[in-house]
Amino acid sequence: MSFSAFDLYFLIINLLGFAFGAVNSRVRSKKPEGKSDAVLAFLSVLGGAVGCLLSVLIFDRKAEKGNMLSRVIMSCLSVIDVIILLMVKGTLSGKLSFAFWDVFVKYPYALVYVGLVNFISFVLYGLDKRKAVKGKNRIRIVTLLGSAFIGGSVGSLAGMYLFRHKTDKNYFYIGVPLMVVMQVFVLFYLSNLLC
């Protein structure tokens, strides 16, 4: 079995991400509160997101406000890295098309799903803003970000800015637009794979 230069790079950068993530999880408790895991985010940008994310899932499951941005970046870039890897490996044949709406034409239930999850995400941001104003129990950050991650990023973005909610938290004002980019990658890949 032979490895291309791309395979070797992808393997090494993900092993580095995994190793650094393991070490980082041991020393993170000694860092000042609120300090983000910038090196993990940087390794993710370089292509090591899958290794970094695996490391976090194995060694450091506790999500805090200080590490939330790096987790959002790692999650989004893991999906993008896998799509790029699949494309480089030749899972798509023929000419690439940017007409990702073909997925919705051929599979109308996908449009129903995306519409529903975006509506739910939008409503969640409105409800959380209302609860914040009234001083009631809030919707968890993981729920808000999770609804955006599973396809509701446009609804989340609209809810953030229409309700003026969570626009000062970096894991939202950076994370949710990154999720939009990730979902465009997913739609691009699926439209070329399925249509």
Side-chain angles (χ1 to χ4, degrees):
M1 180 157 101
S2 65
F3 288 104
S4 69
F6 178 79
D7 294 335
L8 195 57
Y9 172 78
F10 191 75
L11 179 65
I12 290 170
I13 197 70
N14 278 286
L15 286 173
L16 279 172
F18 184 83
F20 185 80
V23 170
N24 189 51
S25 69
R26 299 292 177 225
V27 298
R28 191 164 64 79
S29 61
K30 297 176 180 147
K31 287 194 248 178
E33 180 64 31
K35 186 170 182 179
S36 69
D37 300 322
V39 175
L40 285 176
F42 181 70
L43 287 170
S44 295
V45 169
L46 292 178
V50 174
C52 292
L53 187 60
L54 281 174
S55 171
V56 165
L57 292 174
I58 292 170
F59 301 112
D60 190 19
R61 291 186 212 142
K62 187 173 181 184
E64 300 167 345
K65 291 181 179 183
N67 65 11
M68 193 63 69
L69 178 60
S70 66
R71 288 166 188 261
V72 169
I73 290 171
M74 285 185 275
S75 299
C76 292
L77 291 180
S78 289
V79 173
I80 293 170
D81 285 353
V82 168
I83 290 171
I84 291 171
L85 179 65
L86 290 171
M87 290 174 65
V88 168
K89 289 299 183 183
T91 58
L92 301 179
S93 59
K95 188 176 178 182
L96 296 179
S97 167
F98 290 95
F100 54 82
W101 53 85
D102 289 346
V103 171
F104 300 126
V105 172
K106 190 170 181 181
Y107 303 100
Y109 56 85
L111 182 61
V112 171
Y113 171 79
V114 169
L116 189 61
V117 76
N118 275 287
F119 175 75
I120 290 169
S121 295
F122 179 79
V123 169
L124 284 174
Y125 280 79
L127 286 173
D128 193 49
K129 176 66 176 193
R130 185 175 183 173
K131 287 180 177 203
V133 169
K134 291 188 175 197
K136 294 187 176 182
N137 287 342
R138 307 279 300 279
I139 296 172
R140 294 178 55 195
I141 292 171
V142 173
T143 304
L144 294 171
L145 288 172
S147 70
F149 188 82
I150 63 169
S153 61
V154 173
S156 295
L157 204 56
M160 281 173 57
Y161 288 101
L162 184 70
F163 300 119
R164 294 186 184 137
H165 189 54
K166 300 290 187 186
T167 55
D168 61 338
K169 308 289 185 202
N170 63 2
Y171 40 91
F172 282 97
Y173 70 76
I174 294 172
V176 174
L178 184 58
M179 290 179 203
V180 171
V181 171
M182 174 198 71
Q183 290 163 11
V184 167
F185 266 82
V186 170
L187 278 174
F188 171 75
Y189 181 74
L190 290 177
S191 69
N192 283 286
L193 182 68
L194 302 174
C195 299

